[in-house]
Each structure stands twice: as C-alpha cells, then as structure tokens.
Amino acid sequence: MDMQANRAEQEAAEQISGRAIDQKLIDEMRPAYEDFIFNGNYKEALPYLDVYNFIGRTLGTQAGAEILVCDSEAFYEKLNAQLEANTPAGLTESISFDEPIVYHGYFDGWRQIADMMKLITCMEIMFIAICLSTVFTVEHTRKTDQVILCTRLGKKKLYAAKTLAGLTVGVGFTLASFSAHVRNNCFFIWI
C-alpha cells in the first residue's frame, strides 16, 4: 500500500514540476488543502504535498492553519532568516533567495531517507556494540591469548582479521537496514 501511495504522490507532483514556489502556487495550494482538511478530498491536494511540507518545515510547524495563511513573502523571509542563521561565519558573500525556488518534482522519498539516517546510525552503533563486544576479549576469557601471542604473525593477522570482520558486519548491517527502508518506503525512486 505504501508503494502505491508513494507512486501516486510522485505522479501527482509531476503536475506542478517546473513551477516556482510563489504566491500564485500558494494561492492554488490553499483551496486544495482546505478541501482536504475539511472534506477529506486528498486528490486535489496531492500535487502540492511537497510544497506544503516544505513550507511547514520552514515555518517550523505542521499546523495546517499556520501553513495555509502563509504568503510567499513571509515564507521567503523565514527561509532567508534560516539561511542567514546557518551560514558559516566569515563567508564573504551573502546568500539569499531573491528569486522564488523552482519545484523540480517529488522529493519526499529522499527526505524520508535522510530523516531515517539518524535512526539507522543509532541502530548500527547499538548492533556493533552488542554483537562485536567480545571479538577482542574472547581469547582472554578462554585463556587462549597466550597461545596466539606466541605464534609467528598470529597477533597481527588475528587483529587484522577481527577488524576486517567488524567492518564487514557494520557495513553489511548498514546496507541491509538501508535497503530494507528503501524497499519498504521509497522503492519507487529506483524505478
């Protein structure tokens, strides 16, 4: 079901692809979203989903009333303020959105992936900490470390192999969790 909904969002977003996010687009979006909020008619609002979410994130709210009363001037004022606040000190040229941003099509899938990267990173750290915690201590607890230490190149090859195994497990877990997320939520991007 999620894949069908994502595909419908992607196809609907093509209707407004290439248009500037300006007052005209916001004025078109407003009645479509009011109809969606009050009557549940989502089909008219679907093409504007990315723009609606982008305005909401810029304003720092998910409340429909605040997003729907926003005009392009207030939107770009808030966006430029965020850009100025996040611009590194010492940057000589001023960066601002003097012209409206052009919407180039569906990007919510990529946003979802970026948002999930924090969770995936935390899961990976916990997985590695739990699964690989005994990799370097097992010889000491089993009292076999002295045998390994007295063999020729035993310690160097053993530690290299264990480090490589740890990296392989970490990278494998990251790829598996990332591909599971992509397959479940954003598979349409790859088609």
Side-chain angles (χ1 to χ4, degrees), residues 10-143:
Q10 185 181 19
E11 290 171 359
E14 290 301 316
Q15 295 175 17
I16 64 167
S17 180
R19 293 188 52 197
I21 302 176
D22 56 5
Q23 191 60 45
K24 183 178 178 184
L25 185 66
I26 291 173
D27 289 342
E28 285 178 27
M29 177 185 75
R30 189 171 290 125
Y33 261 91
E34 286 173 351
D35 189 29
F36 168 61
I37 291 170
F38 297 117
N39 302 323
N41 183 8
Y42 71 91
K43 290 187 180 192
E44 297 296 320
L46 204 54
Y48 306 101
L49 179 65
D50 280 336
V51 175
Y52 180 84
N53 288 334
F54 182 47
I55 292 172
R57 284 177 162 251
T58 302
L59 297 177
T61 184
Q62 292 300 317
E66 291 179 42
I67 297 170
L68 293 177
V69 298
C70 178
D71 62 354
S72 64
E73 186 177 319
F75 168 67
Y76 282 106
E77 183 178 303
K78 181 76 171 176
L79 193 61
N80 283 325
Q82 289 178 358
L83 183 63
E84 186 178 320
N86 293 311
T87 300
L91 192 62
T92 56
E93 64 183 68
S94 175
I95 302 171
S96 66
F97 291 106
D98 296 328
E99 296 180 18
I101 298 171
V102 176
Y103 176 71
H104 291 289
Y106 184 76
F107 64 85
D108 193 52
W110 293 109
R111 184 195 54 80
Q112 289 177 10
I113 289 173
D115 289 346
M116 286 299 296
M117 291 310 290
K118 295 175 194 171
L119 177 65
I120 291 172
T121 302
C122 290
M123 287 176 51
E124 181 177 4
I125 290 169
M126 289 182 358
F127 177 79
I128 290 172
I130 293 168
C131 293
L132 301 178
S133 63
T134 62
V135 167
F136 288 100
T137 61
V138 72
E139 287 85 15
H140 182 69
T141 57
R142 291 186 181 168
K143 308 280 189 221

Side-chain angles (χ1 to χ4, degrees), residues 161-178:
K162 287 183 177 196
T163 302
L164 187 61
L167 287 172
T168 303
V169 168
V171 168
F173 179 78
T174 301
L175 291 175
S177 60
F178 183 73

